[in-house]
Amino acid sequence: MAETLETEIAVRHPNRRKKKKRPVTWSLIKSQNQLIWMSVPLMLYIILFAYVPVWGWTMAFQNYRPAKSFSEQEWVGFKQFNFLFTDDNFLRVLRNTLSMGIINLVLGFVTAIVLALLLNEIKNVLWKRTVQTISYLPHFLSWIIVTGIVATSLSINDGIINIVLMKLHLIKEPILWLSEGKYFWGIVGASHVWKEVGWNTIIYLAAIASIDPALYEAAEIDGASRYKKMQFVTLPGIKATIVILMIMSIGHVLEAGFEVQYLLGNGLVVDWAETIDIFVLKYGLAQGNYSLATAGGIFKTVVSVTLLLMANGISKRLGEERLL
Amino acid sequence: MGGKSKRTFKLSLITLLSLSFALAGCGGNNNGNTKDNAKAEETGAAQTAGAADTGDKIEPFNISVFLGEAGQQPTPDNKIYKKIKDETGASFNFEFLAGDINQKLGVMIAGQDYPDMMTGNTKLTAAGAYIPLEDLIEEHAPNLKAHYAEYWNMMKDPNDGHIYILPNYGVYNGKVNSAWYSGPAFWIQKAVLKEFGYPQVKTLDEYFDLIEKYKEKYPKIDGSPTIGFEILNYDWKNWGLFNAPQHLIGHPNDGGVVVKDGVAEIFADKDYAKQYYQKLNELNQKGLIDKETFVQNYDQYMAKLSSGTVLGMFDQHWNFNAAEDSLTTQGKIERTYVGLPLVYDKATKDYYRDLAVLNLNNGFGISINAKDPVKIIKLLDTLIQEEWQKTFSWGIEGEDYIVENGRFMRTQEQRDNAADATWQLANKAKSLFSYLPKMEGSFSDGNSTDAAAQPEEYKAGLKPFDKEVLDAYGYDTYVDFFSEPPANPVYYPAWSIDLIEGSDAKIANTKLNELQTKFLPKAILASPDEFDAVWTDYVGQIQKANVKAYEDKINEQIKWRIDNWSK
C-alpha cells in the first residue's frame, strides 16, 4: 500500500521522483547483463538507421553540393524553406496533397472495413477465399502497372469504363476522364481502393477472427439479426484495431502518393494532380537541388508528427485506444 | 564499489557510442582516393613505358564501364570483345542504366562510387567525378588528339577549361552520307502522299489541307477511326508540343530559344508561336486532332502510331522509330512516315536538318576512381584507329561484310544478321561503340562509316513501295526532302548549354516548361473565341516567371562559346 502511494506521489512530482529512483548499481547491471547485451545490436541499428540520417537534415539549411565535405558547404539558413513556402504553387500543391491524402484515408478505411464485415458474413469458405484472393492480388502490382491499367480503362476508344457507362445509357458520349481536373481526385481515390482494399481487409478479418463466438451466440439468443450482430458485436470487437490503424494512417496523410499523380497527371489536370512530392522532385531533385528536397522532406515530417500527436491526443481525450 | 562501477558503466557506454559512430562513418567517402590515383597513374605510366620497351607483350586488364542508357549485356563469347581482348588485353565490365538516370547519378555521386569509365554527364562533371584528360591525350594518345583536333576548344568544360569528356558523336571526316533522318519534322503517312499523287508539301497549311482531305475521304483505316494529327506531350518528351514554332520560321532546333545574330530569346510567347497554336485550335474544331492527345502516355501514343491510323504528327524520328518498325513488320509500309520540313510560307527556307554537333552530355569520361587512366586512354587511342572503327561499324570482313571493287557491301544474309538483336549481342560491340569516340562520314577509302548510310546498301535494302515514293519525288533517300544543312553557327546548339543545377536560370526553365504544359493544351482545346483570352493569360504568366534569368544565362554562354570556340 505504501509503495503505491509513493509511486503516485512520484508521478506527480517528477523532482522528488528523481531522488527516490533506484540507483543503477553494478549488481543491477550484472544481473541484467544478458538483457543489456541483447539490446546492443538493436540500439546500434536504431542509431545507425534512425538517428544518423537525421544529420542529413542539415542539408536543408545549406546550398548542398554533392562531393564536397561538410565544412565546405555553403550555409544559407532558411532560404530553401522560403522558396518552398513562397512559391505560387505551394498552397495549391499542399491542398492537393492533403485532399488526396484524406480521400485515400477515408475511402481506404471505409471500404476495407465494409469488405471485412461482408466477407465475415459469407459462410461458403471457398467463395470467401476466392473473393479475398481476387481483391488483394492488385496489391502486388506496382503503381506503374496499375496506372497503365487505369489509363487504358479510362481511354475513350476502347476503355472499359466508357464502354460500360455507354451500354448502361448513363452517358451519351465517351468521357475523357483524365482531361478534367474535377475527376482527378476521384480517379486517384478509386485506383487506391482497387489496389489496396483487399490487402487492408486482412488485418480486420484477423481482428474479427479473435472475437469470442460466444458473443455471437448470446446475441443470437437475444434475437439479434445479422445487421444487429455486425453493429453490436463485430464492429465493437474490432474498434481497437480501427482506432490504432487510424492514428497511424493520419501520420501518413501527407504521403498522398507520388507515382499515381506523376504517371496519370498531364498538363490539363496539373492544378489538381501535383503533390508536394512531385513539386519537390521538379524543383529539388531534378534540379540537383538536394537541399530543397530535404527541406520538403522536413516539412512533411514535421506536419506528419504533429498530426500523429494530435490524433493520438484526441483519441486519449475520448478515452479510446491510443498509440503512444 | 558503486562509484567505480558507475564509471566503468559510463566508460563502456562511451566506447559503445564511439563504436557506433565509427561504424556510421565507415560508409563515408575515401579521402585517400586521389592519392592512390596519383600513385596508380605513376605506376601505370611506368608499366606502359616498360611494355613499350619489351615489345608487344599484352597484359590483360579489366575496365568497369557505366553506360547511361538501358541495354543488354553482350554474350560472354562476343566476337568483337574477344578480338579486343586478344589484341589489346582489355576486357569490359558493363553496368547499364536501370531506372532513372538522375537518381542513379545521385547515388553514385553521394557514395563517390564510380567505375573506371562513365557516360559523359554534366552532373558528374559538376561533382568532380572525372579526371582532366588534356594532358593524358597530349602525352599518350596521338590518334585521339588528331581525331579531335578541330574540336579541341569545344570540348573544354565552360566552368574550368579542362577536358573531361570525349564526345562520341559530331566529329566528321570525308563525305557525310546519311540515309536516315533522325531529327524533328512534321511527319505524314506515305499513303496520304500517294493518295494525292505525291504533291510537294512545303507549308503548314498545305500539310493540314492534305490531312483534312484524306480524313474526309477515309474516315476509317482498317476499321478504326482515322486520327488526323497527334501531339505527344508526356513527361520529358514534350517537344512535340513545344518545338514546332521555331522550325516553322526556318530556324534550327535550339531547344527553348531562338537565336538571332547571337542573341537568344524564348519563343514560347511570341506571335509566330501563337500562329501555330491558333492553327491547332482551328484543327481541333474540325476534329482533326486526337481527343486524347494531351492525356495519353508514351505507350498509348506508340500504340496509336503502330496501328497505322495516325496521319501525321510533329516529332523526332528516333522517338517513334519503334512504331514504324512495327508497321513494317505488319506489312503496312504505306502507313510509315515521310518527314517534311514545313515552314509558314514558301519564302522561308527550311532548316530542320542540321549537322550533328559535339555533345558533352554523352561519350565517355574517365573517373577519379580509375586505377590506370593511362591504360584506358591508350586503349581508346587504339580503338579510334580506322581498322578498329571498321570492325565496330561493319564487323569482320568476309563474315559480316564483303568488299567489291573497294566498296563495302553486305549479302542479304549479312543484312538480316545485322538487324537481328540477338545476333548483335554475340557479334557486335554495339553499346560500347555507341559511346566510344568515333569517326563519322567516310573512311579514307571512301566507304561510309555507317553501314546503313552506304548508298549502295541503302538502295539494296529499300522496299518496293519506298522506291515508288522516292522515284515519284526524284530523291535517293528520305533525307533529300530536307534542305542541305549549312555549317553550324559557332554557338550551336543552344539546347546543349548547361544551365547549372539549381540556378535561377534552371528554375525559370522549369517554370516555363510547366506553364507551357499547362496552358498550351488549354489554348488548343478552347473554343475559338476563348483562345485569345487563354493566350493572354499564358503570356502574362510567362512574364511573371523569371524568364530573363534563363535568357541571360543562355546569352552569356553563347557569347562565351563565340569567344572561346572560334578559331
Side-chain angles (χ1 to χ4, degrees):
Chain A
M1 186 64 207
E3 219 180 288
T4 39
L5 199 69
E6 203 181 86
T7 35
E8 257 172 52
I9 290 167
V11 169
R12 280 190 207 129
H13 303 277
N15 291 338
R16 262 219 261 162
R17 191 178 156 216
K18 215 176 176 180
K19 275 182 205 160
K20 294 274 174 188
K21 199 180 62 175
R22 233 168 116 191
V24 178
T25 61
W26 191 236
S27 61
L28 181 72
I29 293 169
K30 224 172 177 180
S31 68
Q32 298 184 352
N33 85 79
Q34 290 96 336
L35 286 174
I36 288 177
W37 284 116
M38 270 158 68
S39 61
V40 165
L42 278 177
M43 264 176 60
L44 281 180
Y45 179 85
I46 299 286
I47 290 171
L48 258 179
F49 291 104
Y51 287 93
V52 175
V54 174
W55 176 251
W57 277 18
T58 51
M59 261 164 78
F61 306 98
Q62 306 166 339
N63 247 345
Y64 180 79
R65 284 284 158 263
K68 276 189 181 174
S69 77
F70 183 71
S71 56
E72 287 170 319
Q73 300 294 349
E74 179 197 349
W75 292 83
V76 294
F78 283 90
K79 185 187 144 205
Q80 312 293 356
F81 289 94
N82 260 340
F83 177 86
L84 198 64
F85 297 139
T86 52
D87 193 274
D88 297 343
N89 288 340
F90 186 74
L91 271 183
R92 205 190 70 209
V93 169
L94 184 64
R95 175 201 71 176
N96 293 342
T97 315
L98 273 176
S99 317
M100 278 185 270
I102 291 169
I103 288 173
N104 290 346
L105 181 79
V106 174
L107 268 185
F109 261 89
V110 173
T111 51
I113 292 167
V114 168
L115 184 65
L117 288 177
L118 295 179
L119 275 176
N120 186 48
E121 295 300 319
I122 295 178
K123 299 299 175 219
N124 181 337
V125 178
L126 190 69
W127 176 241
K128 181 175 166 180
R129 285 205 184 136
T130 315
V131 171
Q132 231 191 311
T133 311
I134 291 175
S135 64
Y136 80 60
L137 273 183
H139 169 80
F140 298 102
L141 300 177
S142 70
W143 270 117
I144 186 109
I145 295 172
V146 173
T147 48
I149 295 175
V150 170
T152 317
S153 329
L154 294 175
S155 156
I156 48 168
N157 291 330
D158 40 16
I160 183 155
I161 306 283
N162 278 318
I163 293 177
V164 168
L165 290 178
M166 297 270 281
K167 295 254 164 145
L168 291 174
H169 298 287
L170 288 172
I171 50 174
K172 284 198 189 74
E173 280 217 343
I175 296 175
L176 202 48
W177 295 98
L178 287 172
S179 71
E180 296 260 1
K182 61 185 177 199
Y183 298 136
F184 194 81
W185 293 354
I187 291 169
V188 170
S191 318
H192 263 278
V193 168
W194 179 75
K195 185 169 174 339
E196 302 294 350
V197 68
W199 189 256
N200 293 340
T201 303
I202 293 174
I203 195 162
Y204 297 114
L205 283 175
I208 291 172
S210 69
I211 298 173
D212 188 353
L215 291 173
Y216 287 104
E217 282 162 28
E220 206 156 321
I221 290 166
D222 288 344
S225 68
R226 275 195 161 189
Y227 294 108
K228 291 279 174 199
K229 273 192 279 180
M230 266 191 226
Q231 190 184 347
F232 294 111
V233 183
T234 317
L235 268 182
I238 58 172
K239 198 176 81 179
T241 316
I242 296 178
V243 173
I244 291 286
L245 286 180
M246 179 75 100
I247 294 172
M248 281 164 71
S249 315
I250 283 173
H252 290 289
V253 146
L254 283 189
E255 312 282 333
F258 159 74
E259 289 113 318
V260 218
Q261 290 84 354
Y262 190 78
L263 294 167
L264 283 180
N266 58 59
L268 293 167
V269 295
V270 69
D271 283 349
W272 288 269
E274 206 172 37
T275 60
I276 295 181
D277 288 339
I278 297 178
F279 183 79
V280 162
L281 175 84
K282 258 195 207 160
Y283 288 95
L285 296 177
Q287 309 258 349
N289 189 350
Y290 301 104
S291 297
L292 181 70
T294 315
I298 294 180
F299 169 74
K300 274 175 63 186
T301 310
V302 170
V303 174
S304 297
V305 170
T306 318
L307 284 174
L308 184 77
L309 292 176
M310 268 166 57
N312 198 53
I314 292 170
S315 172
K316 185 175 168 185
R317 288 269 169 86
L318 296 176
E320 297 288 346
E321 300 286 331
R322 55 187 203 270
L323 193 63
L324 303 171
Chain B
M1 160 137 187
K4 199 183 168 199
S5 68
K6 218 182 234 172
R7 227 176 34 224
T8 348
F9 177 68
K10 273 184 188 158
L11 220 95
S12 57
L13 200 75
I14 288 168
T15 334
L16 198 80
L17 272 174
S18 48
L19 187 78
S20 67
F21 276 113
L23 267 178
C26 270
N29 65 6
N30 15 14
N31 283 327
N33 229 334
T34 29
K35 244 190 234 156
D36 287 350
N37 259 336
K39 226 199 259 161
E41 213 168 298
E42 272 167 36
T43 48
Q47 252 172 32
T48 34
D53 286 338
T54 52
D56 299 300
K57 200 175 155 237
I58 295 158
E59 273 179 55
F61 64 106
N62 198 307
I63 302 174
S64 52
V65 182
F66 170 68
L67 298 171
E69 62 183 22
Q72 270 182 297
Q73 295 287 354
T75 58
D77 56 346
N78 182 295
K79 170 163 96 184
I80 306 291
Y81 289 113
K82 196 168 164 296
K83 187 172 153 74
I84 297 178
K85 193 169 162 80
D86 289 347
E87 294 181 25
T88 68
S91 50
F92 299 92
N93 200 349
F94 292 110
E95 189 192 349
F96 292 95
L97 176 69
D100 180 56
I101 179 84
N102 288 330
Q103 207 178 343
K104 172 70 190 166
L105 293 180
V107 173
M108 279 167 69
I109 291 169
Q112 301 256 307
D113 178 18
Y114 308 123
D116 300 333
M117 285 206 298
M118 297 182 289
T119 298
N121 192 294
T122 47
K123 269 210 174 75
L124 290 170
T125 315
Y130 300 113
I131 55 168
L133 299 175
E134 57 273 11
D135 294 343
L136 273 176
I137 296 177
E138 297 271 9
E139 222 173 295
H140 302 285
N143 297 318
L144 277 178
K145 175 77 189 171
H147 177 69
Y148 285 124
E150 294 272 300
Y151 304 86
W152 198 250
N153 285 334
M154 293 189 181
M155 286 156 62
K156 290 181 180 163
D157 186 63
N159 300 312
D160 60 11
H162 283 302
I163 291 177
Y164 293 108
I165 292 156
L166 301 173
N168 47 352
Y169 292 107
V171 179
Y172 291 94
N173 10 8
K175 184 179 181 309
V176 181
N177 293 315
S178 103
W180 198 78
Y181 175 70
S182 68
F186 280 87
W187 301 87
I188 193 162
Q189 270 189 4
K190 290 167 188 165
V192 180
L193 294 177
K194 186 188 161 106
E195 180 69 32
F196 300 107
Y198 300 112
Q200 291 285 342
V201 190
K202 290 281 175 217
T203 68
L204 191 68
D205 293 334
E206 288 169 352
Y207 172 79
F208 283 131
D209 271 351
L210 282 188
I211 287 181
E212 192 178 349
K213 276 195 284 179
Y214 191 88
K215 188 172 188 252
E216 235 164 65
K217 204 163 170 189
Y218 302 99
K220 289 202 163 179
I221 294 175
D222 297 335
S224 305
T226 306
I227 296 168
F229 192 68
E230 195 72 69
I231 307 163
L232 177 69
N233 181 39
Y234 181 70
D235 203 10
W236 60 277
K237 300 191 173 203
N238 49 21
W239 57 80
L241 181 62
F242 295 173
N243 279 7
Q246 61 183 334
H247 295 296
L248 290 168
I249 57 163
H251 192 88
N253 182 9
D254 257 327
V257 291
V258 158
V259 186
K260 278 182 192 148
D261 307 322
V263 181
E265 58 171 20
I266 62 158
F267 61 85
D269 56 348
K270 300 293 178 289
D271 279 344
Y272 54 85
K274 184 179 176 186
Q275 188 185 340
Y276 176 61
Y277 297 114
Q278 195 144 27
K279 181 82 193 171
L280 290 182
N281 177 283
E282 229 175 80
L283 284 175
N284 184 51
Q285 288 303 308
K286 293 182 188 162
L288 287 177
I289 292 181
D290 181 17
K291 275 191 192 143
E292 277 187 308
T293 197
F294 297 120
V295 304
Q296 72 194 343
N297 57 34
Y298 181 61
D299 294 335
Q300 287 171 308
Y301 171 77
M302 289 298 273
K304 278 181 195 159
L305 294 194
S306 308
S307 74
T309 53
V310 178
L311 300 183
M313 66 273 167
F314 177 86
D315 201 349
Q316 306 229 15
H317 202 179
W318 58 267
N319 190 44
F320 67 94
N321 191 17
E324 279 198 320
D325 288 348
S326 160
L327 286 166
T328 311
T329 321
Q330 296 169 55
K332 298 181 179 172
I333 306 286
E334 77 283 3
R335 299 289 168 207
T336 55
Y337 297 89
V338 177
L340 300 171
L342 300 182
V343 284
Y344 276 132
D345 52 68
K346 288 200 165 102
T348 315
K349 186 168 184 284
D350 70 272
Y351 190 172
Y352 280 68
R353 194 178 150 207
D354 55 9
L355 291 173
V357 286
L358 225 53
N359 182 1
L360 294 182
N361 247 325
N362 224 324
F364 276 129
I366 300 178
S367 85
I368 51 170
N369 291 3
K371 281 181 281 312
D372 197 345
V374 175
K375 259 191 176 167
I376 298 178
I377 208 78
K378 285 196 160 181
L379 174 73
L380 295 178
D381 193 51
T382 308
L383 297 182
I384 190 65
Q385 292 172 29
E386 231 177 72
E387 272 315 300
W388 277 106
Q389 293 287 309
K390 281 179 188 166
T391 311
F392 279 122
S393 59
W394 283 88
I396 309 233
E397 191 184 329
E399 287 178 35
D400 305 323
Y401 67 99
I402 47 175
V403 185
E404 277 175 15
N405 306 326
R407 298 297 289 168
F408 293 4
M409 296 283 284
R410 282 170 173 161
T411 63
Q412 190 54 43
E413 191 198 345
Q414 287 164 345
R415 222 168 271 142
D416 293 342
N417 273 342
D420 180 354
T422 325
W423 182 89
Q424 287 174 356
L425 288 181
N427 297 285
K428 294 217 90 173
K430 199 178 170 192
S431 25
L432 176 69
F433 183 52
S434 74
Y435 282 90
L436 279 179
K438 69 172 74 54
M439 293 182 176
E440 286 181 89
S442 329
F443 295 121
S444 53
D445 58 13
N447 281 301
S448 175
T449 55
D450 174 12
Q454 182 91 323
E456 298 94 323
E457 269 301 290
Y458 180 75
K459 282 217 178 99
L462 271 184
K463 299 267 187 310
F465 185 80
D466 285 314
K467 280 209 182 90
E468 181 192 325
V469 178
L470 289 174
D471 285 346
Y473 285 100
Y475 294 146
D476 286 332
T477 72
Y478 285 107
V479 178
D480 295 340
F481 278 88
F482 299 83
S483 296
E484 208 44 54
N488 290 328
V490 178
Y491 73 86
Y492 185 79
W495 58 256
S496 70
I497 286 172
D498 179 14
L499 294 177
I500 310 293
E501 306 288 309
S503 66
D504 286 349
K506 189 126 187 180
I507 293 174
N509 187 29
T510 307
K511 274 250 149 74
L512 185 62
N513 256 315
E514 208 169 65
L515 289 172
Q516 284 177 282
T517 310
K518 182 169 151 185
F519 280 97
L520 292 179
K522 222 188 214 175
I524 293 168
L525 299 180
S527 67
D529 48 314
E530 278 168 19
F531 179 87
D532 277 318
V534 178
W535 188 263
T536 316
D537 192 8
Y538 166 64
V539 173
Q541 297 274 345
I542 288 184
Q543 277 157 1
K544 267 200 266 166
N546 192 6
V547 174
K548 201 171 168 304
Y550 174 62
E551 288 175 339
D552 285 351
K553 178 76 198 170
I554 302 247
N555 279 318
E556 179 199 313
Q557 284 298 309
I558 287 179
K559 195 175 164 320
W560 185 90
R561 284 180 176 186
I562 292 175
D563 290 347
N564 287 281
W565 288 2
S566 304
K567 274 178 258 140

